[in-house]
Amino acid sequence: MKSKKKEDSAVINTELANKKSKWKMLGKQKGLIIMSVPFVLYIILFRYVPLLGWTMAFQDYTPRHGFFDQTWVGFKWFIELFKTHDYSTGGTKINLEFLRALRNTVGMSLISTVLGYITAILIAVFLNEVRHIGIKRFVQTVSYLPHFLSWVIVTSLVANVLNVEDGALNNILLFFHIIKEPIQWLATPKYFWNIIGWTYVWKEVGWNTIVYLGAMTAIDPCLYEAAEIDGCGRLRKIWHITLPGIKSTIIIMMIMSAGHILDSNFEMPFFLKNGMNIDVANTIDLYVLQYGFKLFNFSIATAAGIFKNAVNIILLLIANAIAKKSGEERLI
């Protein structure tokens, strides 16, 4: 009994000592804690407090009544996203407008993600193999600069380059006799998604290579020396050492991208859409803008936003679970 009491008292003393050491550590880092308070308040104020607005998705919200004095309708507006009321027959019909927005969002996101991954990895591998410091720095600088431009400026540049009358792209193609007459790039629906995808690549590819270049610095140089002794050329060293060395980083980045499939770029579709390409340019974000701020149907706009975030979270968890079962690196 005495030994048991001693063990219990020892455990209690250890716990008290751990608590004291934690408080002592916090006391030493009080400066950092005070500095972090504004950022914590910012997150709470602008990330968590607005979540109260999600209640509008479950109400027949009208601004005339108080925020909590609304009629609760359950999942009516979530159903309305896919099946809307048909006033001509009195029944329901498929909400083609939202389904087109969903299709366009997924299509643009997949094209941007796939092109972004492939080009970022290729450029990172290229820069890793370049031995001339001047060329390497020049390529890095040129590829990074577009990242610091706002999407509004980038969209304006794209619109000018693709202009039918005096756009640079049409003039170049006409000069080299690749085309016989100017192409209406922004008025032809089949080009729109690719324009969005390649513009994203041009703007973000340099910035995205930073992660992969950082991962490549962690690869042991002895592996390259051993491969060179064994007679491996550059391509074989890239295939058997460089790419496997950044495999975990690639998988983590893919998992993170799975959580943004429905987060397509907002500015470019908004500024580049017109009457000729509206069927392929309208995204979920533009759908929310149209119903929330133009038609004042805040309930269905909020439901569309919740749907987008819920799908993103589900896709993130699925991608993480697949990576876990495959024995690869995972985010969670």
Side-chain angles (χ1 to χ4, degrees), residues 221-237:
C222 295
L223 296 175
Y224 292 104
E225 296 174 2
E228 191 170 351
I229 293 173
D230 290 338
C232 291
R234 282 197 170 188
L235 290 178
R236 293 188 67 183
K237 285 191 284 187

Side-chain angles (χ1 to χ4, degrees), residues 161-181:
V161 169
L162 300 180
N163 191 284
V164 178
E165 297 179 357
D166 56 355
L169 182 58
N170 276 328
N171 288 335
I172 292 172
L173 295 178
L174 288 169
F175 179 80
F176 288 103
H177 303 288
I178 298 175
I179 59 176
K180 295 181 179 179
E181 58 183 13

Side-chain angles (χ1 to χ4, degrees), residues 6 17 147 155 185 201 246 250 263 275 284 315 324:
K6 289 181 179 179
H147 170 78
T155 303
W185 298 101
V201 170
I246 63 173
I250 294 173
D263 289 333
I284 293 179
L315 291 175
K324 182 179 180 180

Side-chain angles (χ1 to χ4, degrees), residues 47-332:
R47 300 297 181 183
Y48 288 98
V49 173
L51 292 179
L52 292 173
W54 280 16
T55 57
M56 288 188 292
F58 306 95
Q59 302 170 338
D60 272 331
Y61 182 81
T62 56
R64 294 190 302 271
H65 300 93
F67 190 76
F68 294 102
D69 297 330
Q70 306 290 332
T71 303
W72 294 87
V73 294
F75 291 95
K76 169 189 171 181
W77 296 110
F78 291 93
I79 298 172
E80 193 84 4
L81 290 174
F82 300 95
K83 288 185 178 181
T84 186
H85 183 73
D86 189 351
Y87 293 96
S88 61
T89 61
T92 59
K93 62 179 180 181
I94 297 175
N95 190 350
L96 294 177
E97 186 179 1
F98 178 76
L99 292 179
R100 276 195 293 265
L102 178 61
R103 177 203 64 186
N104 298 338
T105 303
V106 173
M108 283 185 242
S109 294
L110 287 178
I111 289 175
S112 299
T113 301
V114 172
L115 290 177
Y117 265 111
I118 294 173
T119 53
I121 294 171
L122 288 177
I123 292 179
V125 170
F126 166 75
L127 291 175
N128 189 58
E129 293 296 318
V130 172
R131 296 293 176 260
H132 194 285
I133 301 299
I135 295 176
K136 190 172 184 178
R137 288 178 178 175
F138 175 77
V139 173
Q140 284 179 317
T141 303
V142 171
S143 62
Y144 293 167
L145 282 178
H147 170 78
F148 300 100
L149 298 175
S150 71
W151 277 107
V152 176
I153 295 175
V154 170
T155 303
S156 178
L157 290 173
V158 171
N160 289 327
V161 169
L162 300 180
N163 191 284
V164 178
E165 297 179 357
D166 56 355
L169 182 58
N170 276 328
N171 288 335
I172 292 172
L173 295 178
L174 288 169
F175 179 80
F176 288 103
H177 303 288
I178 298 175
I179 59 176
K180 295 181 179 179
E181 58 183 13
I183 298 175
Q184 296 184 353
W185 298 101
L186 296 178
T188 308
K190 66 179 181 180
Y191 297 133
F192 192 82
W193 289 3
N194 289 313
I195 291 171
I196 299 294
W198 285 109
T199 303
Y200 173 82
V201 170
W202 173 76
K203 185 178 185 298
E204 301 294 344
V205 66
W207 190 258
N208 292 338
T209 57
I210 295 176
V211 177
Y212 301 110
L213 286 171
M216 289 175 189
T217 58
I219 300 175
D220 190 352
C222 295
L223 296 175
Y224 292 104
E225 296 174 2
E228 191 170 351
I229 293 173
D230 290 338
C232 291
R234 282 197 170 188
L235 290 178
R236 293 188 67 183
K237 285 191 284 187
I238 291 171
W239 184 257
H240 294 289
I241 299 175
T242 305
L243 292 179
I246 63 173
K247 180 182 176 182
S248 59
T249 303
I250 294 173
I251 292 174
I252 291 295
M253 296 299 291
M254 290 181 67
I255 294 173
M256 293 176 65
S257 293
H260 294 279
I261 291 297
L262 296 187
D263 289 333
S264 64
N265 181 270
F266 172 80
E267 288 85 355
M268 287 198 69
F270 179 73
F271 288 111
L272 296 180
K273 71 174 181 176
N274 53 55
M276 302 294 290
N277 62 25
I278 188 65
D279 286 340
V280 296
N282 205 25
T283 62
I284 293 179
D285 290 336
L286 296 182
Y287 183 89
V288 171
L289 177 68
Q290 178 183 356
Y291 278 87
F293 292 94
K294 292 183 179 180
L295 301 178
F296 297 103
N297 191 339
F298 300 106
S299 295
I300 196 169
T302 306
I306 293 175
F307 170 81
K308 184 185 77 170
N309 288 306
V311 172
N312 282 337
I313 293 172
I314 292 171
L315 291 175
L316 174 66
L317 295 176
I318 291 174
N320 188 78
I322 292 173
K324 182 179 180 180
K325 286 189 177 181
S326 302
E328 304 291 348
E329 293 288 335
R330 57 188 185 274
L331 189 63
I332 303 174

